Amino acid sequence: HGDSKDYDSETESVCPFCGVGCKVSLKVKDGKVKYVEGINGPANEGRLCVKGRFGFDYIHHPHRLTKPLIRREDAPAKGLNVDPGNLGTHFREATWEEAMDLAATKLKTLRDEDPRNVAGFGSAKCTNEEAYLFQKFIRQGFRHNNVDHCTRLCHASSVAALIENVGSGAVTATFNEVENSDVVIIIGANPIENHPVAATYFKQFTKRGGKLIVMDPRGVGMRKFADEMLQFRPGADVSMLNAIMNVIVEEELYDSQYIHRWTENWEAEKEHLRAFTPEAMAPICGIEPAQLRRVARTFAQAKAGLIFWGMGVSQHIHGTDNSRCLISLALMTGNVGKPGAGLHPLRGQNNVQGASDAGLIPMFLPDYQSVMDDDIRAKFNNVWNSDDFSNEKGLTVTEIIDQAYAGNIKGMYIQGENPAMSDPDVGHAREALAKLELMIVQDIFLTETANYADIILPASALYEKNGTVSNTNRQVQRVRPAVTPPGEAREDWKITVELAQRIGLNWDYTDVSEVFAEMKLTMASLDNITWDRLETETITYPSLSETDPGQAIVFGDGFPRADGRARFTPASVIPPDEAPDEEYPMIATTGRQLEHWHTGSMTRRATVLDAVEPEANCSMNPRQLKLMGIEPGELIRLTTRRGSIEIMVRADRAIAEDMVFIPFAYVEAAANILTNSAIDPYGKIPEFKFSAIRVEKIEDA
Ligand code: SF4
């Protein structure tokens, strides 16, 4: 970029990619964002990663949707067959009036038949206000709770365990708190690629002598900075963590005072852990007893320890158990509620924390208030001036897809989500979407999901909208429009409001700040956080007064549970849903890469990012490749019980010899064709991180 005179205007907003929530200044010239600079937000202090700095120009991509579209009556059968450059055989352009009228009429017809015909997927890419309105649209408009979003595919199991055991689903300490830590555990997370600016704080922590313990079946980038690297067997999290806690119990390294004052169920946990000796667990988790002991002592004897985790922990059928272990480890060592200590699931999407807080989940209203509680529903109905809605927990993302497949859900309103790429066993998800009688997709591009739509509503990118977002640190920040949406595209919240009015709801918002004001009526987490304050401040919830910038650390004086006590919930070893066998002898795991974001709809349209990483790829250990006679760069075939893809392979020594790592951003070799849809019984999150797989050389490649 150039000097301070090479732009017409500058606007402060927040990066649209990951949950770090870096603050940015957008430099605009001739109506387009010309470049992006990091500015001084509490989560980034001026820093940006490659996505934040160079990944912005997707918003000006020619594929942007600029007019409402309606599926043509003579369109070919629904499938992944629409050319974004030539929509003519599938869709025709429509006016907003026609598209909204059709959408509302069809929604009302389905509702009149049975309100449960209709379900909704909202988006962690939209603002808090948009997420709030979306869940209200389904609950008030259809009287049930069948509304969810991609948190189900990301940290739902972590949230389930946190709510169960500490009474709140958000982080107990910001990642910046590593400044006060002596020891840090990073498990099942790859922050160098997925939370790159947070990773810079972790690197600084090691530079000043902090002890870093990295645990992951892949040799992720942070291992280069680690004092201990535990490259454990995939799916063996519980055996490894229980063995570490066994040492803490047997050597009496736990914090008796803390346990006595702030926890319950300790005796049961202690007894449960006795069987998990390092010697017994080593063959299962693949980590030597001596290292398990060393790590246990390091963590337990530190003055302050923080635990970070990612989807390597959560995306298993035992994801909730994995998180329960991490919570127990922090509690038994007294590492919650003091400087430098805590529990921090690194949230993925830029606003997955905020969308969950705003109630975009089937079992909870905003602020994780139960849909099953009559008084809570009455409170919302009062604010909404509305009749009661169902007291049953709604269906989750994967359950909604299954019901659509079975024909029990006939219509969906999908805002900014891409289940045709992001769901496990995506072949099944795509068939389910094709069966819908009505699919309304609101998005900025003709995504893979929009290929299946009946009505497409052109929406706005984050840099075109006004509102608030909440990052992984519980920090609420304003986003502001730097440019206007292209063509006739509109802000998402305005589209939802108009659709709500057209199906007969009593909505009369004229400004997004009115939505925020309504959220404050039922969300105690927003106490003392005002629209005016957010004009100039980032505020970490909870904020205790009108001048308090917010609490970086929570639960120093008790937990939001009965008696103020956190709970130990013992976890047993549950094997992955499918074991490798003769037919599928290896293990596949999926994840992200530094340059690409989730299903790739944005970053693959960002010039710099796509130039750096243009091609679908997977990675395997070079020794294994040699054994199979495969050269790095060759195309190979990957097959699981769900399907098969052909993809270029790279060599990566950091991957175990029986594993394949597959990024999931590439539609031409979609990793989720392969993944298993078996779910964790508590968080209902699919087991993306473990599929039995067969790898084949393509002989004629
Ligand atoms: Fe954006 Fe995350 Fe990178 Fe920050 S670390 S610039 S929020 S992608």
Side-chain angles (χ1 to χ4, degrees), residues 553-567:
I553 302 154
V554 290
F555 309 148
D557 52 0
F559 294 87
R561 297 185 77 250
D563 295 338
R565 290 171 187 276
R567 178 186 160 82

Side-chain angles (χ1 to χ4, degrees), residues 14-24 44 47-53 194-198 350 597:
V14 179
C15 172
F17 293 109
C18 90
V20 171
C22 295
K23 278 191 80 170
V24 294
N44 66 317
R47 308 166 205 192
L48 291 180
C49 80
V50 67
K51 288 189 285 287
R53 189 172 299 281
N194 299 332
H195 300 84
V197 168
N350 63 326
W597 185 252

